[in-house]
Amino acid sequence: MTGGRAVHDVMQAIKAVSLPPVSTPRGSYTPILRSGEFVFVSGQGPRWGDELRYKGKVDCDLTVEQGQEAARLCALNIIAQLNGFLNHDLRRVQQVVRVAGVVRCADIFEKQALVMNGASDLFLEIFGERGRHVRIATGTSALPSGMAVEVEAMFRVI
C-alpha cells in the first residue's frame, strides 16, 4: 500500500496471462525500437507465434467480440515484444503512451473503437493506471495476410 492505495504489481499481472511467442517480422523493419525514454512497438497482428488466429473482416466474417479478442491478442504480442526487449522486467514501463489500431472491416462499419477496447483493456489489466493511453482506432478494407486487426504502441520506459 502507498498512501492508502494498493500498488499495482505488473509482474503479478503478467503471470495471469500467457504471452505468445514473438513472431518473425514479415517485412523490412524492426519490430521494436527505443528512442530516448520511448519504446515503439511496430504493428502486431493477431498471431500466436507464426499462426494467424483471426483472419477476415470484423462484422462480416467475425463478430465484434471476436474482433476484440483479435485486438487483445495483438496487444499480447506487443507486450511479448516489449517484455523481451526489457529483459523480462515490465516494471520499467512508466506509461503506455499511445496505441494505434486498424480494424479490417466493411465500409459501413463504425465500431472500430469498440473492437480496440480489447487491446486497451489488456494494457489497463497489465499496467494498471500506467496503462492509460491516448489512442486512435481506424478501419480499412485490407490488412497484410488478411488479418482482422493490427495494433502498434508507444511506451515510456526507464
Side-chain angles (χ1 to χ4, degrees):
M1 302 274 286
T2 301
R5 293 184 316 172
V7 176
H8 182 81
D9 187 344
V10 172
M11 300 311 286
Q12 196 65 27
I14 200 66
K15 289 178 185 176
V17 298
S18 295
L19 291 179
V22 175
S23 65
T24 306
R26 289 168 174 70
S28 301
Y29 64 93
T30 183
I32 192 164
L33 177 74
R34 184 171 187 154
S35 180
E37 66 181 333
F38 296 101
V39 174
F40 302 85
V41 182
S42 65
Q44 300 292 304
R47 297 180 185 277
W48 192 268
D50 289 327
E51 177 196 350
L52 181 60
R53 295 254 172 117
Y54 295 91
K55 187 173 183 171
K57 290 186 175 187
V58 176
D59 209 36
C60 294
D61 308 307
L62 302 167
T63 65
V64 169
E65 291 76 18
Q66 288 171 314
Q68 289 172 327
E69 292 168 13
R72 180 181 173 89
L73 182 51
C74 293
L76 283 169
N77 277 294
I78 288 169
I79 293 170
Q81 290 280 354
L82 186 64
N83 192 42
F85 189 78
L86 297 176
N87 297 313
H88 307 283
D89 187 3
L90 292 172
R91 292 172 296 196
R92 292 176 57 195
V93 173
Q94 298 299 295
Q95 187 69 53
V96 180
V97 177
R98 182 178 189 270
V99 174
V102 183
V103 179
R104 184 173 173 221
C105 56
D107 291 345
I108 61 171
F109 185 70
E110 297 178 343
K111 296 181 181 176
Q112 292 87 354
L114 190 58
V115 170
M116 280 301 299
N117 284 345
S120 293
D121 291 347
L122 179 71
F123 289 128
L124 287 167
E125 179 184 327
I126 298 301
F127 297 106
E129 283 303 306
R130 291 179 292 165
R132 292 213 181 276
H133 53 271
V134 298
R135 182 182 84 184
I136 186 170
T138 61
T140 188
S141 61
L143 283 170
S145 305
M147 68 178 104
V149 181
E150 185 172 16
V151 180
E152 69 174 26
M154 180 175 91
F155 301 83
R156 186 168 55 86
V157 299
I158 55 171

